Amino acid sequence: MSVEAAVSAAGQAPPAFLGPVAVLIVTAAVIGFVMTKVRVVPIVGFLAAGVLIGPAQLGLVANGEAVQAAAEIGVILLLFTIGIEFSLDRLARVWTWIALGGAVQLSLQILFGAVFFVSVGMLLDLGFVLDNLMLVLVGSLLVLVVKTVTTAAAVVALRMRWRTAIATGLLLAQVGEFSFVLLTVGAAGGLAPLGLTDDGTQTVVAVTVVLMVCTPLFAILGARLNRAGGKPPAANHSDGPVNGTDGGLTEHVVLLGWGPSALELASTLRAQDIPMLLTTLNPGGAAEATAAGHQVLRGDPTKALVLQQAGLSTARLVVVAEDEPDRARTTVAAARAITGAPIMVRPLGPANVAELAEAGADHVVDLHRSSGRALVASVLHRLGRGQVAAGTSRPVVDTSRVLRYPWPQDRGCAHSGLSRTVQPAAAGCVGCLHEGTDWVHLRGCLSCGYVGCRDSSPRRHARQHAVTDEHPLIVSLEPGVSWGYCLVDEVRVDGPVRSARERSLPPQ
């Protein structure tokens, strides 16, 4: 007995949607495979397949309700795909999960995309298109012109070449997949495109399908138009040379980001004749910086090409300013992949020092624990132009410096678990500052960041803190010195290995 007969014998008929859904999925799989083999954009094949099997043509899926259900499922799968694209990229932190999630995401994207576009094709009635060909063509042309012009205008506002702007406009001229989400919601609410009920819906579907099918042609046309203008100069988005190979900047400060603190820092560096290049995607910020006489590179500072054009490989210092914490961490990681220079970061929210240090930051200016001018003071200190403590000849400690010493467990010290990523809690010895006394050499606590004077100082505040708070791990905060020490086990370890380039900079 067959499965269908067994089900009927049990008094149950197969679900009505089972056949249409099976046809849809099989068609999508076959067309996707064929399109890949003949090197044709799969979306075109999915749309064509949907048109053929739909009720208006071959009728392999003749149930109107099934077609509508398939379209709604396509919308749901589209939104679900958008969701997994976001969550997997933002939340996956372990390589195992990234690999597994990436593989699952790829399979789901192919399947969901196929089902969605086939279901869209099923909604198209070729008879309507032929009967209303002029309406469909005019609608397609209108959408093409409006979207191309508006997109190109936005690209031109970023000072891109006009050829590149038009090419970008053509590439984005189609009606996006999300229009079907709006169409479904509108229809459920009793709305109709252009007030034409079913004809309005068919017009929107026809225009969308036409533009989607033509998108590969638009892309080819735009690419040819862009190439016809010749190769753009390397510094196309900048106001001046941006690297050492063409007589531009070397041993400079690269400022990634724009805002009030970045503006103050740029002005201070310029006043002290320190070469500086600013990189930002903000058109208003770029225009303001250019008007102030600063050298500006327009681009995304998380992209390797932009960072290379900014001359990061020959930079003296990199400053990531005015970014939200997540984006700041991404920018730091991108910069660290290119340069061995010190990286200083000032996020616009609560700073997770450990995460920023893991990404490659050497200095973190926390907005919630320092004044607005702290960024300027920290940069000048890093460049060897810092202040000295009032009433002493000792330079102050840069409180943005990240103290991160991975403590070895095979050196006879039982306190490795107390080594954390911290920052100096004060610019000088906390105890001496409270008592109004002087210090001789400074030490930093690797557990909490307490700054105290060493044993050769009269008050020995570093040791007092270690005993009182049971924080025995300390590091030297003296210029040009990098080592850690356990005051209990009397074990000394070398500091983190820094690049030769950073070691050549002025001492901290």
Side-chain angles (χ1 to χ4, degrees):
M1 180 181 294
S2 66
V3 175
E4 184 174 350
V7 173
S8 299
Q12 296 179 359
F17 65 84
L18 186 59
V21 170
V23 171
L24 188 151
I25 293 178
V26 171
T27 302
V30 172
I31 292 297
F33 176 77
V34 173
M35 292 296 104
T36 302
K37 287 297 183 181
V38 299
R39 296 185 178 183
V40 174
V41 180
I43 292 177
V44 176
F46 295 147
L47 292 171
V51 171
L52 290 176
I53 68 175
Q57 280 67 241
L58 298 181
L60 296 180
V61 181
N63 188 326
E65 294 182 359
V67 174
Q68 185 63 34
E72 292 179 358
I73 292 174
V75 170
I76 294 172
L77 296 180
L78 171 66
L79 295 176
F80 183 66
T81 302
I82 294 173
I84 63 173
E85 284 180 350
F86 176 80
S87 61
L88 287 177
D89 182 56
R90 298 275 294 181
L91 302 180
R93 299 299 177 95
V94 183
W95 281 110
T96 302
W97 287 105
I98 291 177
L100 178 61
V104 173
Q105 177 180 348
L106 179 60
S107 301
L108 289 175
Q109 275 189 307
I110 295 174
L111 176 61
F112 293 174
V115 172
F116 174 74
F117 287 109
V118 171
S119 66
V120 169
M122 291 167 58
L123 296 175
L124 181 64
D125 184 351
L126 284 180
F128 174 85
V129 174
L130 295 177
D131 294 340
N132 301 272
L133 185 60
M134 185 59 64
L135 175 63
V136 173
L137 292 179
V138 171
S140 301
L141 181 62
L142 180 63
V143 172
L144 174 65
V145 172
V146 171
K147 292 205 65 177
T148 300
V149 171
T150 54
T151 303
V155 175
V156 169
L158 297 176
R159 294 195 175 184
M160 296 282 195
R161 299 183 309 157
W162 68 267
R163 292 179 182 272
T164 302
I166 294 179
T168 304
L170 288 172
L171 190 62
L172 300 177
Q174 77 278 5
V175 178
E177 300 91 327
F178 203 75
S179 62
F180 289 100
V181 178
L182 300 179
L183 185 62
T184 301
V185 174
L191 301 177
L194 306 176
L196 299 177
T197 61
D198 291 342
D199 286 349
T201 300
Q202 273 296 316
T203 301
V204 172
V205 172
V207 168
T208 302
V209 171
V210 168
L211 291 177
M212 283 185 175
V213 171
C214 292
T215 294
L217 301 178
F218 296 154
I220 295 173
L221 178 62
R224 289 180 178 178
L225 177 64
N226 195 34
R227 287 196 300 267
K231 183 179 179 181
N236 185 53
H237 310 305
S238 71
D239 299 304
V242 295
N243 55 54
T245 61
D246 57 1
L249 297 175
T250 58
E251 294 297 322
H252 57 299
V253 176
V254 178
L255 183 55
L256 306 178
W258 185 252
S261 295
L263 174 61
E264 181 184 11
L265 173 59
S267 300
T268 301
L269 294 176
R270 186 181 182 189
Q272 298 199 21
D273 295 323
I274 298 175
M276 183 274 302
L277 173 70
L278 185 142
T279 299
T280 180
L281 264 177
N282 186 320
E288 185 179 358
T290 302
H294 302 305
Q295 191 170 8
V296 180
L297 173 67
R298 290 174 173 82
D300 185 350
T302 65
K303 304 302 181 184
L305 178 60
V306 174
L307 296 177
Q308 290 168 357
Q309 289 183 338
L312 239 67
S313 59
T314 60
R316 185 181 183 186
L317 176 67
V318 178
V319 181
V320 179
E322 312 290 354
D323 267 335
E324 297 298 327
D326 285 346
R327 181 169 175 82
R329 183 173 61 253
T330 302
T331 304
V332 168
R336 179 52 72 209
I338 293 177
T339 184
I343 298 178
M344 183 175 297
V345 56
R346 178 188 181 273
L348 288 180
N352 189 319
V353 178
E355 289 187 358
L356 291 171
E358 185 69 25
D362 302 289
H363 302 261
V364 178
V365 179
D366 190 345
L367 185 65
H368 294 276
R369 67 188 288 264
S370 52
S371 64
R373 187 167 170 76
L375 178 63
V376 175
S378 297
V379 168
L380 294 179
H381 192 281
R382 175 70 257 190
L383 297 175
R385 304 192 184 189
Q387 302 173 341
V388 298
T392 76
S393 59
R394 303 294 180 187
V396 298
V397 176
D398 179 8
T399 56
S400 74
R401 177 182 175 184
V402 175
L403 306 179
R404 184 170 180 262
Y405 279 52
W407 204 267
Q409 300 183 6
D410 58 352
R411 299 291 296 274
C413 175
H415 302 94
S416 60
L418 295 177
S419 179
R420 306 182 180 98
T421 302
V422 296
Q423 292 179 277
C429 174
V430 175
C432 291
L433 290 172
H434 288 169
E435 298 171 359
T437 57
D438 200 0
W439 58 80
V440 179
H441 298 162
L442 294 173
R443 303 290 182 257
C445 174
L446 276 180
S447 297
C448 67
Y450 179 91
V451 177
C453 52
R454 59 169 289 183
D455 287 353
S456 59
S457 300
R459 304 296 294 162
R460 306 174 66 186
H461 287 114
R463 187 172 291 275
Q464 288 183 32
H465 170 75
V467 173
T468 302
D469 291 66
E470 297 183 350
H471 290 172
L473 304 185
I474 62 172
V475 293
S476 173
L477 297 179
E478 293 305 305
V481 179
S482 179
W483 51 259
Y485 189 75
C486 178
L487 290 170
V488 173
D489 297 317
E490 298 183 348
V491 173
R492 172 171 170 153
V493 300
D494 294 329
V497 177
R498 310 305 300 172
S499 66
R501 176 168 186 76
E502 180 171 351
R503 292 196 299 268
S504 68
L505 292 173
Q508 301 182 59

PDB file of all heavy atoms in Angstrom, residues 235-260:
ATOM      1  N   ALA A 235      44.343  58.710  -4.603  1.00  0.00           N
ATOM      2  CA  ALA A 235      43.812  59.549  -3.532  1.00  0.00           C
ATOM      3  C   ALA A 235      42.531  60.225  -3.964  1.00  0.00           C
ATOM      4  O   ALA A 235      42.283  61.382  -3.678  1.00  0.00           O
ATOM      5  CB  ALA A 235      44.841  60.595  -3.113  1.00  0.00           C
ATOM      6  N   ASN A 236      41.675  59.510  -4.675  1.00  0.00           N
ATOM      7  CA  ASN A 236      40.481  60.084  -5.268  1.00  0.00           C
ATOM      8  C   ASN A 236      39.556  60.715  -4.264  1.00  0.00           C
ATOM      9  O   ASN A 236      38.866  61.664  -4.570  1.00  0.00           O
ATOM     10  CB  ASN A 236      39.722  58.989  -6.035  1.00  0.00           C
ATOM     11  CG  ASN A 236      38.519  59.526  -6.777  1.00  0.00           C
ATOM     12  OD1 ASN A 236      38.637  60.464  -7.537  1.00  0.00           O
ATOM     13  ND2 ASN A 236      37.370  58.918  -6.543  1.00  0.00           N
ATOM     14  N   HIS A 237      39.522  60.193  -3.042  1.00  0.00           N
ATOM     15  CA  HIS A 237      38.569  60.688  -2.051  1.00  0.00           C
ATOM     16  C   HIS A 237      39.244  61.571  -1.025  1.00  0.00           C
ATOM     17  O   HIS A 237      38.746  61.747   0.066  1.00  0.00           O
ATOM     18  CB  HIS A 237      37.897  59.516  -1.345  1.00  0.00           C
ATOM     19  CG  HIS A 237      37.362  58.500  -2.291  1.00  0.00           C
ATOM     20  ND1 HIS A 237      36.492  58.807  -3.303  1.00  0.00           N
ATOM     21  CD2 HIS A 237      37.607  57.167  -2.394  1.00  0.00           C
ATOM     22  CE1 HIS A 237      36.196  57.717  -3.990  1.00  0.00           C
ATOM     23  NE2 HIS A 237      36.858  56.715  -3.461  1.00  0.00           N
ATOM     24  N   SER A 238      40.407  62.093  -1.310  1.00  0.00           N
ATOM     25  CA  SER A 238      41.126  62.871  -0.316  1.00  0.00           C
ATOM     26  C   SER A 238      41.402  64.264  -0.824  1.00  0.00           C
ATOM     27  O   SER A 238      41.290  64.547  -2.007  1.00  0.00           O
ATOM     28  CB  SER A 238      42.445  62.187   0.052  1.00  0.00           C
ATOM     29  OG  SER A 238      43.335  62.284  -1.040  1.00  0.00           O
ATOM     30  N   ASP A 239      41.771  65.120   0.075  1.00  0.00           N
ATOM     31  CA  ASP A 239      42.142  66.479  -0.267  1.00  0.00           C
ATOM     32  C   ASP A 239      43.658  66.598  -0.121  1.00  0.00           C
ATOM     33  O   ASP A 239      44.184  67.225   0.779  1.00  0.00           O
ATOM     34  CB  ASP A 239      41.438  67.478   0.654  1.00  0.00           C
ATOM     35  CG  ASP A 239      39.933  67.363   0.507  1.00  0.00           C
ATOM     36  OD1 ASP A 239      39.448  67.492  -0.619  1.00  0.00           O
ATOM     37  OD2 ASP A 239      39.258  67.134   1.522  1.00  0.00           O
ATOM     38  N   GLY A 240      44.394  65.944  -1.018  1.00  0.00           N
ATOM     39  CA  GLY A 240      45.851  65.975  -0.954  1.00  0.00           C
ATOM     40  C   GLY A 240      46.412  64.577  -0.924  1.00  0.00           C
ATOM     41  O   GLY A 240      45.700  63.600  -0.822  1.00  0.00           O
ATOM     42  N   PRO A 241      47.745  64.433  -1.060  1.00  0.00           N
ATOM     43  CA  PRO A 241      48.369  63.123  -1.026  1.00  0.00           C
ATOM     44  C   PRO A 241      48.200  62.456   0.318  1.00  0.00           C
ATOM     45  O   PRO A 241      48.135  63.105   1.345  1.00  0.00           O
ATOM     46  CB  PRO A 241      49.849  63.439  -1.308  1.00  0.00           C
ATOM     47  CG  PRO A 241      50.002  64.867  -0.900  1.00  0.00           C
ATOM     48  CD  PRO A 241      48.718  65.523  -1.192  1.00  0.00           C
ATOM     49  N   VAL A 242      48.139  61.126   0.297  1.00  0.00           N
ATOM     50  CA  VAL A 242      47.848  60.429   1.539  1.00  0.00           C
ATOM     51  C   VAL A 242      48.855  59.353   1.903  1.00  0.00           C
ATOM     52  O   VAL A 242      48.673  58.651   2.864  1.00  0.00           O
ATOM     53  CB  VAL A 242      46.456  59.767   1.465  1.00  0.00           C
ATOM     54  CG1 VAL A 242      45.386  60.817   1.363  1.00  0.00           C
ATOM     55  CG2 VAL A 242      46.372  58.800   0.281  1.00  0.00           C
ATOM     56  N   ASN A 243      49.918  59.174   1.161  1.00  0.00           N
ATOM     57  CA  ASN A 243      50.909  58.197   1.572  1.00  0.00           C
ATOM     58  C   ASN A 243      52.298  58.635   1.174  1.00  0.00           C
ATOM     59  O   ASN A 243      52.478  59.594   0.439  1.00  0.00           O
ATOM     60  CB  ASN A 243      50.589  56.810   0.998  1.00  0.00           C
ATOM     61  CG  ASN A 243      50.442  56.850  -0.512  1.00  0.00           C
ATOM     62  OD1 ASN A 243      51.341  57.316  -1.197  1.00  0.00           O
ATOM     63  ND2 ASN A 243      49.315  56.370  -1.021  1.00  0.00           N
ATOM     64  N   GLY A 244      53.275  57.921   1.714  1.00  0.00           N
ATOM     65  CA  GLY A 244      54.646  58.336   1.526  1.00  0.00           C
ATOM     66  C   GLY A 244      55.183  58.088   0.142  1.00  0.00           C
ATOM     67  O   GLY A 244      56.245  58.592  -0.200  1.00  0.00           O
ATOM     68  N   THR A 245      54.494  57.301  -0.682  1.00  0.00           N
ATOM     69  CA  THR A 245      55.042  56.962  -1.981  1.00  0.00           C
ATOM     70  C   THR A 245      54.919  58.099  -2.985  1.00  0.00           C
ATOM     71  O   THR A 245      55.585  58.094  -4.005  1.00  0.00           O
ATOM     72  CB  THR A 245      54.312  55.728  -2.540  1.00  0.00           C
ATOM     73  OG1 THR A 245      52.913  56.026  -2.682  1.00  0.00           O
ATOM     74  CG2 THR A 245      54.473  54.550  -1.592  1.00  0.00           C
ATOM     75  N   ASP A 246      54.059  59.090  -2.716  1.00  0.00           N
ATOM     76  CA  ASP A 246      53.895  60.181  -3.678  1.00  0.00           C
ATOM     77  C   ASP A 246      54.201  61.527  -3.046  1.00  0.00           C
ATOM     78  O   ASP A 246      53.616  62.544  -3.400  1.00  0.00           O
ATOM     79  CB  ASP A 246      52.466  60.172  -4.242  1.00  0.00           C
ATOM     80  CG  ASP A 246      51.408  60.281  -3.158  1.00  0.00           C
ATOM     81  OD1 ASP A 246      51.778  60.378  -1.973  1.00  0.00           O
ATOM     82  OD2 ASP A 246      50.214  60.278  -3.507  1.00  0.00           O
ATOM     83  N   GLY A 247      55.139  61.531  -2.112  1.00  0.00           N
ATOM     84  CA  GLY A 247      55.516  62.786  -1.493  1.00  0.00           C
ATOM     85  C   GLY A 247      54.577  63.221  -0.407  1.00  0.00           C
ATOM     86  O   GLY A 247      54.586  64.378   0.006  1.00  0.00           O
ATOM     87  N   GLY A 248      53.715  62.330   0.096  1.00  0.00           N
ATOM     88  CA  GLY A 248      52.749  62.681   1.115  1.00  0.00           C
ATOM     89  C   GLY A 248      53.296  62.495   2.515  1.00  0.00           C
ATOM     90  O   GLY A 248      54.491  62.671   2.786  1.00  0.00           O
ATOM     91  N   LEU A 249      52.412  62.081   3.437  1.00  0.00           N
ATOM     92  CA  LEU A 249      52.757  62.038   4.848  1.00  0.00           C
ATOM     93  C   LEU A 249      53.462  60.750   5.244  1.00  0.00           C
ATOM     94  O   LEU A 249      53.138  59.665   4.769  1.00  0.00           O
ATOM     95  CB  LEU A 249      51.485  62.187   5.677  1.00  0.00           C
ATOM     96  CG  LEU A 249      50.725  63.503   5.525  1.00  0.00           C
ATOM     97  CD1 LEU A 249      49.443  63.438   6.321  1.00  0.00           C
ATOM     98  CD2 LEU A 249      51.581  64.676   5.990  1.00  0.00           C
ATOM     99  N   THR A 250      54.424  60.883   6.131  1.00  0.00           N
ATOM    100  CA  THR A 250      55.028  59.769   6.858  1.00  0.00           C
ATOM    101  C   THR A 250      55.273  60.255   8.280  1.00  0.00           C
ATOM    102  O   THR A 250      55.349  61.456   8.530  1.00  0.00           O
ATOM    103  CB  THR A 250      56.367  59.322   6.235  1.00  0.00           C
ATOM    104  OG1 THR A 250      57.265  60.442   6.208  1.00  0.00           O
ATOM    105  CG2 THR A 250      56.178  58.799   4.820  1.00  0.00           C
ATOM    106  N   GLU A 251      55.395  59.297   9.209  1.00  0.00           N
ATOM    107  CA  GLU A 251      55.588  59.651  10.618  1.00  0.00           C
ATOM    108  C   GLU A 251      54.511  60.637  11.078  1.00  0.00           C
ATOM    109  O   GLU A 251      54.766  61.583  11.824  1.00  0.00           O
ATOM    110  CB  GLU A 251      56.986  60.254  10.844  1.00  0.00           C
ATOM    111  CG  GLU A 251      58.116  59.285  10.613  1.00  0.00           C
ATOM    112  CD  GLU A 251      58.087  58.122  11.590  1.00  0.00           C
ATOM    113  OE1 GLU A 251      57.751  58.341  12.760  1.00  0.00           O
ATOM    114  OE2 GLU A 251      58.375  56.977  11.178  1.00  0.00           O
ATOM    115  N   HIS A 252      53.289  60.390  10.652  1.00  0.00           N
ATOM    116  CA  HIS A 252      52.189  61.288  10.953  1.00  0.00           C
ATOM    117  C   HIS A 252      51.200  60.626  11.898  1.00  0.00           C
ATOM    118  O   HIS A 252      51.290  59.428  12.192  1.00  0.00           O
ATOM    119  CB  HIS A 252      51.466  61.695   9.665  1.00  0.00           C
ATOM    120  CG  HIS A 252      50.942  60.531   8.868  1.00  0.00           C
ATOM    121  ND1 HIS A 252      51.768  59.549   8.348  1.00  0.00           N
ATOM    122  CD2 HIS A 252      49.679  60.164   8.517  1.00  0.00           C
ATOM    123  CE1 HIS A 252      51.041  58.648   7.710  1.00  0.00           C
ATOM    124  NE2 HIS A 252      49.771  58.991   7.805  1.00  0.00           N
ATOM    125  N   VAL A 253      50.250  61.408  12.376  1.00  0.00           N
ATOM    126  CA  VAL A 253      49.159  60.899  13.200  1.00  0.00           C
ATOM    127  C   VAL A 253      47.944  60.709  12.305  1.00  0.00           C
ATOM    128  O   VAL A 253      47.547  61.620  11.588  1.00  0.00           O
ATOM    129  CB  VAL A 253      48.826  61.876  14.350  1.00  0.00           C
ATOM    130  CG1 VAL A 253      47.609  61.369  15.131  1.00  0.00           C
ATOM    131  CG2 VAL A 253      50.015  62.053  15.271  1.00  0.00           C
ATOM    132  N   VAL A 254      47.363  59.517  12.342  1.00  0.00           N
ATOM    133  CA  VAL A 254      46.143  59.234  11.573  1.00  0.00           C
ATOM    134  C   VAL A 254      44.966  59.273  12.534  1.00  0.00           C
ATOM    135  O   VAL A 254      44.911  58.525  13.503  1.00  0.00           O
ATOM    136  CB  VAL A 254      46.215  57.861  10.883  1.00  0.00           C
ATOM    137  CG1 VAL A 254      44.914  57.586  10.130  1.00  0.00           C
ATOM    138  CG2 VAL A 254      47.391  57.807   9.925  1.00  0.00           C
ATOM    139  N   LEU A 255      44.042  60.160  12.265  1.00  0.00           N
ATOM    140  CA  LEU A 255      42.865  60.348  13.111  1.00  0.00           C
ATOM    141  C   LEU A 255      41.658  59.752  12.400  1.00  0.00           C
ATOM    142  O   LEU A 255      41.233  60.251  11.356  1.00  0.00           O
ATOM    143  CB  LEU A 255      42.657  61.842  13.375  1.00  0.00           C
ATOM    144  CG  LEU A 255      41.514  62.265  14.293  1.00  0.00           C
ATOM    145  CD1 LEU A 255      41.622  61.558  15.638  1.00  0.00           C
ATOM    146  CD2 LEU A 255      41.529  63.777  14.484  1.00  0.00           C
ATOM    147  N   LEU A 256      41.120  58.660  12.952  1.00  0.00           N
ATOM    148  CA  LEU A 256      39.988  57.950  12.352  1.00  0.00           C
ATOM    149  C   LEU A 256      38.708  58.334  13.085  1.00  0.00           C
ATOM    150  O   LEU A 256      38.436  57.856  14.175  1.00  0.00           O
ATOM    151  CB  LEU A 256      40.218  56.435  12.434  1.00  0.00           C
ATOM    152  CG  LEU A 256      41.534  55.910  11.848  1.00  0.00           C
ATOM    153  CD1 LEU A 256      41.639  54.405  12.037  1.00  0.00           C
ATOM    154  CD2 LEU A 256      41.661  56.274  10.383  1.00  0.00           C
ATOM    155  N   GLY A 257      37.927  59.210  12.474  1.00  0.00           N
ATOM    156  CA  GLY A 257      36.688  59.655  13.105  1.00  0.00           C
ATOM    157  C   GLY A 257      36.639  61.162  13.180  1.00  0.00           C
ATOM    158  O   GLY A 257      37.644  61.853  13.024  1.00  0.00           O
ATOM    159  N   TRP A 258      35.442  61.665  13.441  1.00  0.00           N
ATOM    160  CA  TRP A 258      35.263  63.116  13.482  1.00  0.00           C
ATOM    161  C   TRP A 258      34.214  63.492  14.502  1.00  0.00           C
ATOM    162  O   TRP A 258      33.203  62.811  14.647  1.00  0.00           O
ATOM    163  CB  TRP A 258      34.854  63.667  12.120  1.00  0.00           C
ATOM    164  CG  TRP A 258      34.786  65.163  12.097  1.00  0.00           C
ATOM    165  CD1 TRP A 258      33.666  65.941  12.044  1.00  0.00           C
ATOM    166  CD2 TRP A 258      35.887  66.065  12.155  1.00  0.00           C
ATOM    167  NE1 TRP A 258      34.004  67.264  12.062  1.00  0.00           N
ATOM    168  CE2 TRP A 258      35.377  67.376  12.135  1.00  0.00           C
ATOM    169  CE3 TRP A 258      37.262  65.892  12.241  1.00  0.00           C
ATOM    170  CZ2 TRP A 258      36.184  68.501  12.182  1.00  0.00           C
ATOM    171  CZ3 TRP A 258      38.060  67.020  12.286  1.00  0.00           C
ATOM    172  CH2 TRP A 258      37.521  68.302  12.246  1.00  0.00           C
ATOM    173  N   GLY A 259      34.458  64.571  15.250  1.00  0.00           N
ATOM    174  CA  GLY A 259      33.557  65.066  16.273  1.00  0.00           C
ATOM    175  C   GLY A 259      34.240  66.185  17.034  1.00  0.00           C
ATOM    176  O   GLY A 259      35.355  66.605  16.678  1.00  0.00           O
ATOM    177  N   PRO A 260      33.622  66.702  18.081  1.00  0.00           N
ATOM    178  CA  PRO A 260      34.204  67.822  18.826  1.00  0.00           C
ATOM    179  C   PRO A 260      35.602  67.539  19.366  1.00  0.00           C
ATOM    180  O   PRO A 260      36.511  68.374  19.240  1.00  0.00           O
ATOM    181  CB  PRO A 260      33.197  68.041  19.961  1.00  0.00           C
ATOM    182  CG  PRO A 260      31.906  67.494  19.444  1.00  0.00           C
ATOM    183  CD  PRO A 260      32.275  66.337  18.588  1.00  0.00           C
TER     184      PRO A 260
END
